[in-house]
């Protein structure tokens, strides 16, 4: 059991570090940081999202997404279509600069995904994602239970 725990936690941590390093290295040419990648990528894929929707899709907290949106808006990558409602619920849309950068990012992501999974068959890839989804769901249930205990106190 100890070996399973070590293998699981070390592999997940290593995957996370590698992903962050790749994001950081790949974004250096645009003077962007790792958190900006997901915002640009998902806005490119979905064309328009709110900050709340980005939080949900990226699995990031509101403060991180807000800082990323502010940076990307200030630097001309996106605009917020603010109306009379709350800014957090305003649609975010990529500018031409944002679209060009996001298209470049999407191509890099596709190439990296192709590279890291080329030794896997389609069935192995499907099984890996299915297994990771199950593990993630189970870990989320455990985390949610911790939150329930906190509210009971």
């Amino acid at each position: 059991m100890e070996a399973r725990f070590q293998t699981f936690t070390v592999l997940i941590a290593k995957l996370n570090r590698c992903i962050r390093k790749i994001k950081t290295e790949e974004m250096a040419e645009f003077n962007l940081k790792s958190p900006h990648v997901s915002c640009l990528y998902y806005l490119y894929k979905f064309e328009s999202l709110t900050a709340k929707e980005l939080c949900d899709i990226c699995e990031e907290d509101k403060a991180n997404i807000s800082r990323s949106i502010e940076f990307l808006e200030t630097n001309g990558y996106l605009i917020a279509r603010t109306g009379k409602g709350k800014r957090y619920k305003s649609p975010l849309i990529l500018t031409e600069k944002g679209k060009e950068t996001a298209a470049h990012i999407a191509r890099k992501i596709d190439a990296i995904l192709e590279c890291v999974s080329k030794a896997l068959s389609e069935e192995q890839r499907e099984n890996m994602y299915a297994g990771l989804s199950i593990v993630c769901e189970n870990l989320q249930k455990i985390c949610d239970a911790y939150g329930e205990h906190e509210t009971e106190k």
Side-chain angles (χ1 to χ4, degrees), residues 23 25-45 71-73 75-78 93-110:
K23 282 182 176 182
E25 293 294 323
E26 292 292 335
M27 294 304 99
E29 71 181 273
F30 301 109
N31 293 317
L32 296 172
K33 295 184 179 170
S34 176
H36 306 138
V37 174
S38 295
C39 289
L40 289 169
Y41 179 79
Y42 288 115
L43 282 169
Y44 179 72
K45 292 296 182 183
F71 174 88
L72 293 169
E73 188 174 21
N75 289 282
Y77 291 96
L78 63 83
I93 300 162
L94 294 174
T95 62
E96 282 307 311
K97 176 182 178 180
K99 287 176 187 175
E100 289 173 17
T101 305
H104 189 75
I105 289 168
R107 287 190 298 273
K108 285 183 178 246
I109 288 171
D110 290 344

Side-chain angles (χ1 to χ4, degrees), residues 5-140:
F5 173 76
Q6 182 178 5
T7 301
F8 176 77
T9 57
V10 168
L11 285 175
I12 296 298
K14 192 172 187 177
L15 284 168
N16 194 36
R17 275 193 313 275
C18 287
I19 289 167
R20 288 195 188 283
K21 183 174 183 167
I22 290 168
K23 282 182 176 182
T24 300
E25 293 294 323
E26 292 292 335
M27 294 304 99
E29 71 181 273
F30 301 109
N31 293 317
L32 296 172
K33 295 184 179 170
S34 176
H36 306 138
V37 174
S38 295
C39 289
L40 289 169
Y41 179 79
Y42 288 115
L43 282 169
Y44 179 72
K45 292 296 182 183
F46 291 99
E47 294 183 11
S48 175
L49 295 167
T50 64
K52 183 185 180 333
E53 290 169 331
L54 270 176
C55 287
D56 294 342
I57 292 170
C58 298
E59 287 289 326
E60 285 284 345
D61 66 41
K62 188 176 175 179
N64 284 343
I65 292 296
S66 291
R67 282 190 296 272
S68 292
I69 290 169
E70 183 178 334
F71 174 88
L72 293 169
E73 188 174 21
T74 300
N75 289 282
Y77 291 96
L78 63 83
I79 55 172
R81 300 260 190 229
T82 55
K84 294 180 182 177
K86 294 189 176 189
R87 184 169 164 79
Y88 192 61
K89 294 181 179 181
S90 298
L92 304 169
I93 300 162
L94 294 174
T95 62
E96 282 307 311
K97 176 182 178 180
K99 287 176 187 175
E100 289 173 17
T101 305
H104 189 75
I105 289 168
R107 287 190 298 273
K108 285 183 178 246
I109 288 171
D110 290 344
I112 289 168
L113 287 174
E114 185 63 33
C115 180
V116 299
S117 61
K118 66 182 170 191
L120 297 173
S121 68
E122 188 59 35
E123 182 181 1
Q124 288 173 316
R125 187 176 11 263
E126 288 172 11
N127 288 335
M128 176 189 67
Y129 287 131
L132 283 172
S133 293
I134 291 167
V135 168
C136 187
E137 287 170 21
N138 290 336
L139 285 172
Q140 188 61 56

